[in-house]
Amino acid sequence: MSAELEPTVHPEAEREVEILAAEKEVYPPSEEVVARANVPNYMEVREEANKDFIAFWDARAKEFIDWYEPYEKVLDDSNAPFFKWFVGGKTNIAHNALDRHVHTWRRNKLALIWEGENGELRTFSYFRLWQEVKRFANVLRSMGVKKGDTVTIYMGRVPELAIAMLASAKIGAIHSVVYGGFSEQALADRIEDAQSRVLVTCDGAWLRGKTVNLKDIADEALKRSPVVETVIVYQRTGQEVNMEQGRDYWWHELMNLPIASPRCETEVMDAEDPLFILYTSGTTGKPKGVLHTCGGYQVYIATTLKYAFDLKDEDRWWCAADPGWITGHSYIVYAPLILGVTGFMYEGAPNYPYPNRWWQLIEKYAINVFYTAPTAIRGLMRFGEAWPNRHDLSSLRLLGTVGEPINPEAWRWYYRVIGKERCPIIDTWWQTETGGFMITPTPVVPLKPGSATIPFAGIDADVVREDGTPCDPNEDGYLVVKRPWPGMARTVWGDPDRYVAQYWSEFKAQGWYFTGDSARKDSDGYFWIIGRMDDVIKVSGYRLGTAEIESALVSHKDVAEAAVIGVPDELKGNVIYAFCILNAGVSKDDGLVDELKQHVRREVGPIAVPAAIEFVDSLPKTRSGKIMRRLLKAQVLGQDAGDTSTLAD
Ligand code: WTA
C-alpha cells in the first residue's frame, strides 16, 4: 500500500446503516419500461460482453461511430497500462457529432436547446450548430491553432462553450476546459500546465441575477501564466471589461470577418490522437491533466449513453451538469450529438429565482430524460414537494444521478416525487478518468436505492482487499477495474509516470486500475460506493483536491502550514474543514478566518471555500512528514483516532 493511502476509514457510519436497510429494497423494472428499452435483453448482452469484451466493443465501434479508415486491431495491450484502442482507425468526433448528421433527415432537427438564466431562449439545429462550429474552427485556425495545439476554454454555461470544444476537436486541437467556477490561480496553473497559447473566455457569466467577472479573473490568471498570446472573448453579460490590444478579440467581431467562413475541412485524426485534457485532482500535488483520445472515448460514451439512458431519436435529454466537468464533456456535449438526440442546456442555478426553476424547465421543454447530482436533489428536496407538484412532469421517462453516493432517502424522494414511481433511476458511478459510466443500471436492471447496481457490459469491476483477494459480501474494500475499456484515460498530460503511479501501482502485480474509491458488494453482487480513500474531497459532487486548497491557504502571508479534510455534510455530501498554523505573531481572530476564506475563493474558487477554519499550533504527521488527515477527521467527528503508531510525536 502506498504511503498516500490510509486504511479504509469512513466515518460515514450513516451510510453503513442506510446500505443495510436499502439492500433488501428492490425495484424491478416495469413491463412498460422493459418493452420500450433499446436493449431489452441487456442481461444476456452483458453476459456475452463479459465473455468476449473485445467482440463487444468491436461491434459497438462499428454500430455507433463512422471511421474514415477502419482500425486494424480493437485493443493493443502490449504496453500496459498504456493501452491503445481501435489501433490504426481514423476518425474525428466532430464528424460523428455533426458532419454526418447534416446529410441525413437530422439536418433540421434540434441539436441543442438553451435557456439563459434570464429566460432567453436559443436553439440550434444540427445544421446551424455545424455551421457555427465550422466558422469558429476557421477563427481558431486563423489564430494559428494547429493540430496538436492546446486551447484552454474558460466560460460560463453558454452554447459557445460547446461550439468552442467541437471547433477545437474539428481541427485536431486539444481542448482543456476549465470549469467557470474556478478562479485565478486554478486557471493559471491549468493554462501553464497545458501550455495553451489561446484562451477562449466570456466577459462574464450570470449567476443568480449577478455577474461573475470571468474576463477579470482570466486577466489576472494570464499575468501569472503568460503563455497565452490570444484571448477570444464571448460577450454574454455586456459588462465593462479590459481588452488588451493585440491580444484580446471579441468572439462576435471575429465571427463577422471573412475568416469565419462556413467552409472547413474536418481534420482526420488517429484513434489514439489526443482529444482533450481535463484537469482533475488526485492524491497529491497539483491537479493533473487527464488525457482522453479520439477513438475509444467516442465509442464508449455513445454506447453507455444509449444503453443506460435508453435514448431514442425523439427524446429530449437534459444533463444538468456543467460542461466544465467530465459529465458535461461526455454527456452534454459529445455523446448526445453522436447519438443525434436533442439536448437541453440551462445556464443558471436550480433554485433561481424560485426553487421550481428546474421543474418548470422540464415541463416547458418536455424533457424526457433528466440527469443530475444527489446534492442538487437534496437541495431541492428541502424546499418541499409543493414546488415540483405545481408542474406537469409527465414527459419524464428516466432519471439519473452522478457524482457522489446518493443517500436512499434522496433516491426515494426523486423516484416518488419527480419520477412518480414510473421512472427508473439510473445511478451512474464513474470518473473523469473513466470517460463514461462504469457501474450503472440500464432500464431493465432491478434497482436498489443508493446502489449504482452492477458494472456495465464489458466492464470487470470488483471490490478487493489490500492484497487483491476478493472481499466477502458487504465487506468494504478497494474498488478496482480488472480489464481495460475504450473510454479509459490514456495518460496524465506530460507526466506518464504519474499516470502509472496514481492508477496502476496499488495493484501492480495484478495489472488492475485502482479507482481511489472504497466500496462494497452485497450478496446480490450490487455495488455500493462508500467514498474516496485518498485526498480527493467531493463537495456538492465537485471534485477537489486537498493539495490545491492547502497551497492556496499557505500562499496567504499569515499562514505557515495548512491541512484540509472533508467532513460529511447532509446537503453537500462533504464540506471542507481547514486547519492552519499561523506565522509567529499573527493574532487568531475571526477577521482572519473571513480573510482566508476570501483568499481561497479568489485563488481556487467559491466551491473550494472551507466551511470552517481552525487555527492550531501543530498538525499530526507521520515520521516521514505526511499529514495524517485521518486523525484530524476523527478529531472533528469526535471519533476514536484508531491506530496512531505511525504518528511522529
Ligand atoms: C464519485 C464524476 C457514488 C466517486 C463523473 C468517483 C460517485 C468520483 C458516483 C469521480 C456515484 C461519481 N456514486 N460516487 N454514482 N459518481 N462518484 O472525476 O468517488 O468528478 O471516484 O467524475 O466521484 O469524480 P469525477
Side-chain angles (χ1 to χ4, degrees):
M1 191 153 110
S2 80
E4 272 74 36
L5 290 166
E6 294 183 2
T8 326
V9 280
H10 40 88
E12 295 82 349
E14 248 172 68
R15 174 104 180 123
E16 161 100 29
V17 175
E18 287 171 356
I19 292 176
L20 292 175
E23 193 199 321
K24 305 276 176 286
E25 193 180 327
V26 182
Y27 295 69
S30 70
E31 271 170 37
E32 192 196 335
V33 165
V34 176
R36 291 197 53 149
N38 286 332
V39 191
N41 60 339
Y42 173 70
M43 292 315 255
E44 290 142 46
V45 171
R46 181 174 175 268
E47 213 180 294
E48 281 302 303
N50 289 340
K51 275 188 219 139
D52 188 350
F53 72 108
I54 301 281
F56 177 72
W57 292 118
D58 187 20
R60 301 292 81 73
K62 291 179 173 130
E63 179 182 353
F64 291 115
I65 301 303
D66 286 358
W67 301 85
Y68 297 126
E69 284 175 40
Y71 46 87
E72 292 134 27
K73 199 169 179 198
V74 175
L75 171 67
D76 174 359
D77 56 4
S78 59
N79 189 26
F82 297 96
F83 296 95
K84 289 187 179 153
W85 282 88
F86 309 111
V87 183
K90 306 284 181 213
T91 182
N92 189 311
I93 200 163
H95 171 85
N96 285 301
L98 296 170
D99 301 358
R100 63 172 176 171
H101 296 312
V102 300
H103 303 296
T104 69
W105 65 271
R106 288 202 186 95
R107 181 183 179 88
N108 296 324
K109 176 178 177 174
L110 288 184
L112 181 65
I113 304 172
W114 176 88
E115 186 170 306
E117 196 187 78
N118 57 359
E120 193 182 335
L121 167 68
R122 294 171 71 197
T123 55
F124 294 81
S125 64
Y126 272 89
F127 180 76
R128 174 158 174 225
L129 190 61
W130 182 60
Q131 296 285 76
E132 296 288 307
V133 165
K134 286 187 297 177
R135 293 172 61 219
F136 194 66
N138 277 326
V139 166
L140 288 175
R141 272 191 180 140
S142 72
M143 292 296 180
V145 178
K146 298 180 309 299
K147 181 173 177 172
D149 289 349
T150 61
V151 174
T152 297
I153 302 173
Y154 176 64
M155 301 174 91
R157 225 175 288 157
V158 287
E160 281 68 19
L161 172 45
I163 292 171
M165 290 167 70
L166 287 154
S168 303
K170 186 165 179 90
I171 62 172
I174 306 162
H175 59 70
S176 163
V177 178
V178 179
Y179 168 58
F182 278 127
S183 298
E184 295 160 14
Q185 192 57 41
L187 176 59
D189 288 341
R190 286 159 177 78
I191 290 174
E192 185 72 23
D193 190 79
Q195 288 289 303
S196 290
R197 286 184 300 108
V198 174
L199 172 70
V200 186
T201 187
C202 292
D203 53 350
W206 284 109
L207 190 69
R208 295 174 197 282
K210 299 201 192 80
T211 60
V212 184
N213 307 331
L214 292 185
K215 179 61 166 60
D216 291 353
I217 296 170
D219 283 341
E220 190 51 41
L222 296 192
K223 277 186 207 146
R224 301 182 190 187
S225 174
V227 285
V228 170
E229 293 162 11
T230 305
V231 181
I232 302 175
V233 188
Y234 176 73
Q235 192 170 41
R236 169 64 191 137
T237 58
Q239 68 201 108
E240 197 62 42
V241 294
N242 155 60
M243 294 292 279
E244 199 178 299
Q245 183 78 27
R247 186 195 71 181
D248 301 352
Y249 302 87
W250 287 110
W251 173 297
H252 59 271
E253 289 181 2
L254 295 173
M255 290 287 266
N256 278 326
L257 296 175
I259 48 166
S261 121
R263 264 192 303 276
C264 177
E265 291 287 304
T266 304
E267 196 77 43
V268 174
M269 304 299 285
D270 189 86
E272 284 299 327
D273 279 335
L275 172 63
F276 67 81
I277 309 168
L278 188 56
Y279 285 88
T280 190
S281 41
T283 295
T284 45
K286 295 245 150 139
K288 48 189 190 301
V290 168
L291 183 80
H292 284 285
T293 54
C294 293
Y297 174 75
Q298 290 188 62
V299 175
Y300 196 69
I301 61 173
T303 307
T304 46
L305 186 60
K306 180 90 180 182
Y307 278 54
F309 282 97
D310 205 35
L311 292 182
K312 324 277 182 204
D313 238 315
E314 64 273 23
D315 276 338
R316 287 190 170 179
W317 155 252
W318 181 10
C319 166
D322 192 281
W325 300 89
I326 191 68
T327 309
H329 279 55
S330 299
Y331 299 113
I332 295 178
V333 179
Y334 289 122
L337 294 175
I338 294 172
L339 298 179
V341 303
T342 301
F344 175 70
M345 192 197 282
Y346 170 60
E347 182 181 36
N351 55 354
Y352 182 85
Y354 301 107
N356 64 332
R357 187 73 188 253
W358 272 6
W359 318 129
Q360 191 184 36
L361 291 168
I362 289 173
E363 177 175 26
K364 182 169 170 189
Y365 295 104
I367 302 296
N368 305 107
V369 187
F370 177 67
Y371 184 39
T372 186
T375 190
I377 298 163
R378 288 192 296 262
L380 291 168
M381 202 169 121
R382 277 191 319 171
F383 295 107
E385 293 178 29
W387 290 102
N389 287 346
R390 300 155 74 120
H391 296 280
D392 176 3
L393 304 178
S394 60
S395 59
L396 289 172
R397 208 177 78 240
L398 271 108
L399 299 169
T401 101
V402 59
E404 53 182 324
I406 183 164
N407 46 314
E409 193 196 343
W411 193 102
R412 290 185 203 108
W413 188 86
Y414 198 30
Y415 185 74
R416 180 175 60 81
V417 179
I418 306 305
K420 313 290 182 215
E421 301 182 356
R422 283 186 299 108
C423 309
I425 293 184
I426 309 298
D427 178 355
T428 61
W429 176 89
W430 59 296
Q431 309 179 297
T432 306
E433 295 85 347
T434 68
F437 314 147
M438 296 292 280
I439 302 177
T440 180
T442 74
V444 304
V445 175
L447 306 172
K448 298 187 187 188
S451 167
T453 73
I454 53 176
F456 189 71
I459 300 299
D460 187 9
D462 203 359
V463 179
V464 300
R465 301 189 184 115
E466 199 185 320
D467 61 7
T469 52
C471 286
D472 291 332
N474 289 334
E475 179 187 343
D476 294 355
Y478 298 76
L479 180 61
V480 298
V481 186
K482 296 182 171 176
R483 69 163 97 95
W485 64 101
M488 66 198 309
R490 298 300 194 265
T491 189
V492 170
W493 182 249
D495 199 349
D497 294 345
R498 194 162 168 205
Y499 176 70
V500 176
Q502 182 102 41
Y503 307 107
W504 301 95
S505 58
E506 272 323 297
F507 297 98
K508 190 172 174 217
Q510 297 88 344
W512 297 338
Y513 169 84
F514 177 48
T515 61
D517 279 8
S518 60
R520 60 164 69 172
K521 273 199 300 189
D522 67 18
S523 46
D524 296 326
Y526 272 48
F527 285 67
W528 300 78
I529 310 298
I530 311 283
R532 297 290 309 194
M533 296 173 85
D534 55 9
D535 299 338
V536 169
I537 307 175
K538 280 271 171 158
V539 179
S540 300
Y542 294 124
R543 179 163 164 182
L544 296 166
T546 53
E548 202 170 17
I549 306 167
E550 286 162 3
S551 72
L553 285 166
V554 298
S555 74
H556 188 277
K557 62 176 184 0
D558 292 339
V559 178
E561 241 186 292
V564 156
I565 57 169
V567 178
D569 177 82
E570 237 176 67
L571 188 62
K572 298 182 169 180
N574 296 284
V575 291
I576 292 164
Y577 203 105
F579 297 85
C580 294
I581 304 179
L582 299 178
N583 285 321
V586 176
S587 70
K588 304 172 181 173
D589 56 41
D590 292 345
L592 185 57
V593 170
D594 290 339
E595 193 180 317
L596 291 175
K597 287 185 182 177
Q598 280 307 321
H599 184 70
V600 174
R601 175 181 296 267
R602 207 165 44 241
E603 295 290 305
V604 189
I607 48 170
V609 174
I613 298 181
E614 189 176 325
F615 300 129
V616 293
D617 297 322
S618 67
L619 290 168
K621 287 185 187 161
T622 60
R623 265 169 244 117
S624 60
K626 180 168 156 45
I627 295 169
M628 293 179 78
R629 293 196 177 75
R630 178 173 60 87
L631 298 191
L632 293 171
K633 200 161 178 169
Q635 184 197 319
V636 172
L637 298 171
Q639 290 171 338
D640 179 21
D643 178 12
T644 54
S645 58
T646 55
L647 195 62
D649 70 76

